[in-house]
């Protein structure tokens, strides 16, 4: 199978990619015209861009969604870590991303604090 995902400047709006985790065929462009960097169903991504050098990456490994970050202006970004090389990336969430999974990522640090919450009762 030839690798059709390594287009640095794609023009075809009908481009799709297959999710490495759930197998969903994802349109490479969201309805608002932005390029998708992750699967809207399971939020996993694929390491195709070298975020340090700026060009395409030959890694190609699965990227696990590990967190959400709030950007200036209130938009959310999804933070991914590459399963192979551990590079961290962040990309804005899309309007049709799985909101349940996004909420789970957002509350996970609160649900699993690394210190006892009872300490706040003494403040
Ligand atoms: Zn998926
Ligand atoms: Zn990687």
């Amino acid at each position: 199978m030839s690798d059709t995902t390594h287009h640095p400047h794609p023009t075809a709006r009908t481009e799709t990619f297959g999710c490495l985790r759930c197998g969903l065929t994802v349109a490479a462009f969201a309805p608002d015209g932005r390029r998708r960097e992750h699967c809207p169903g399971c939020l996993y991504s694929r390491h195709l861009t070298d975020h340090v050098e700026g060009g395409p990456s030959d890694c190609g490994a699965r990227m696990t969604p590990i967190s959400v970050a709030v950007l200036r202006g209130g938009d959310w970004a999804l933070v991914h870590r590459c399963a192979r090389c551990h590079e961290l990336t962040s990309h804005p969430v899309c309007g049709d991303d799985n909101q349940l999974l996004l909420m789970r990522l957002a509350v996970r640090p609160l649900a699993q604090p690394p210190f006892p919450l009872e300490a706040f009762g003494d403040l």
Side-chain angles (χ1 to χ4, degrees):
M1 197 175 83
S2 67
D3 189 350
T4 56
T5 54
H6 278 264
H7 295 298
H9 298 290
T11 51
R13 297 273 144 169
T14 53
E15 193 186 341
T16 61
F17 62 88
C19 174
L20 287 182
R21 181 164 187 270
C22 71
L24 190 72
T25 300
V26 181
F29 292 91
D32 64 4
R34 282 192 299 183
R35 186 164 184 74
R36 282 187 205 276
E37 302 286 347
H38 53 263
C39 170
C42 69
L43 305 182
Y44 276 65
S45 185
R46 188 175 180 186
H47 196 180
L48 294 178
T49 306
D50 189 323
H51 296 270
V52 178
E53 306 284 332
S57 170
D58 54 7
C59 177
R62 178 198 284 191
M63 299 193 80
T64 309
I66 57 168
S67 178
V68 291
V70 181
L71 303 174
R72 232 178 278 194
D75 288 336
W76 277 17
L78 199 47
V79 180
H80 286 95
R81 184 174 54 212
C82 179
R84 181 186 290 161
C85 70
H86 308 297
E87 188 171 306
L88 288 169
T89 66
S90 72
H91 293 288
V93 301
C94 291
D96 55 355
D97 282 346
N98 188 322
Q99 293 171 347
L100 178 65
L101 289 180
L102 287 173
M103 288 307 292
R104 276 196 195 151
L105 284 171
V107 303
R108 193 155 66 185
L110 299 176
Q112 299 172 345
F115 41 76
L117 290 181
E118 297 85 67
F120 293 108
D122 299 331
L123 293 177

